[in-house]
Amino acid sequence: MKHLFLFFLIALNLTAKAQSIIGQWETYDDKTKEKKALIEIYKTNNTYSAKIIKSFVGEHDAICDECKGDKKNKPIKGLIIIEDLKKNDSEYNGGTILDPESGEIYSCHLKLVNSNKLKVRGFLGFSLFGRTQYWRRK
């Protein structure tokens, strides 16, 4: 009986980890399908954020020259691109996502498609007017 309970706890822990967005995700170009970046999603208090930990395009020491405010001319590596997301049932929403290529900031929501595929939707105003990408867990 002890072993069964221990097995149940381990299985529950693995299931919880598999259903989390926390971790490293690879992004791909919408048109060429080439790998663009490695993103790390992390949780601070009750909100989720993400930063670029590696870029596979452009120069090694590229900066965000299109960004505005305190992110202008900051290195792409380490740049926080998702901020203030909150978990709401099976989705994460209420936050923003930065497109470092254009410098534009959009509303966003994320949803796990499965344990290794994340739907990332950035939009202006209504979710209908936006773009969806799918990120793969590393």
Side-chain angles (χ1 to χ4, degrees), residues 82-95:
I82 293 178
E83 297 181 88
D84 301 322
L85 282 178
K86 292 186 173 129
K87 188 168 184 355
N88 184 9
D89 293 324
S90 65
E91 287 193 359
Y92 299 79
N93 51 39

Side-chain angles (χ1 to χ4, degrees), residues 27-40:
T27 69
Y28 295 84
D29 186 273
D30 294 337
K31 295 176 185 159
T32 67
K33 306 300 182 207
E34 290 182 72
K35 191 183 325 183
K36 289 181 75 172
L38 182 61
I39 309 294
E40 181 176 25

Side-chain angles (χ1 to χ4, degrees), residues 9-106:
L9 287 178
I10 291 170
L12 186 61
N13 187 36
L14 290 174
T15 302
K17 285 183 180 180
Q19 298 303 314
S20 174
I21 63 170
I22 293 172
Q24 294 183 356
W25 298 88
E26 295 175 334
T27 69
Y28 295 84
D29 186 273
D30 294 337
K31 295 176 185 159
T32 67
K33 306 300 182 207
E34 290 182 72
K35 191 183 325 183
K36 289 181 75 172
L38 182 61
I39 309 294
E40 181 176 25
I41 298 177
Y42 55 95
K43 183 178 180 182
T44 306
N45 298 322
N46 289 325
T47 63
Y48 296 82
S49 302
K51 64 183 174 182
I52 300 172
I53 58 175
K54 185 173 186 178
S55 177
F56 297 102
V57 295
E59 299 173 20
H60 176 68
D61 56 352
I63 60 168
C64 192
D65 54 1
E66 297 296 326
C67 291
K68 298 165 186 76
D70 63 343
K71 293 183 180 176
K72 178 133 180 94
N73 295 323
K74 295 291 184 193
I76 295 291
K77 185 178 179 183
L79 190 66
I80 296 173
I81 60 166
I82 293 178
E83 297 181 88
D84 301 322
L85 282 178
K86 292 186 173 129
K87 188 168 184 355
N88 184 9
D89 293 324
S90 65
E91 287 193 359
Y92 299 79
N93 51 39
T96 59
I97 186 166
L98 166 71
D99 177 353
E101 291 179 8
S102 68
E104 296 296 323
I105 297 175
Y106 302 95

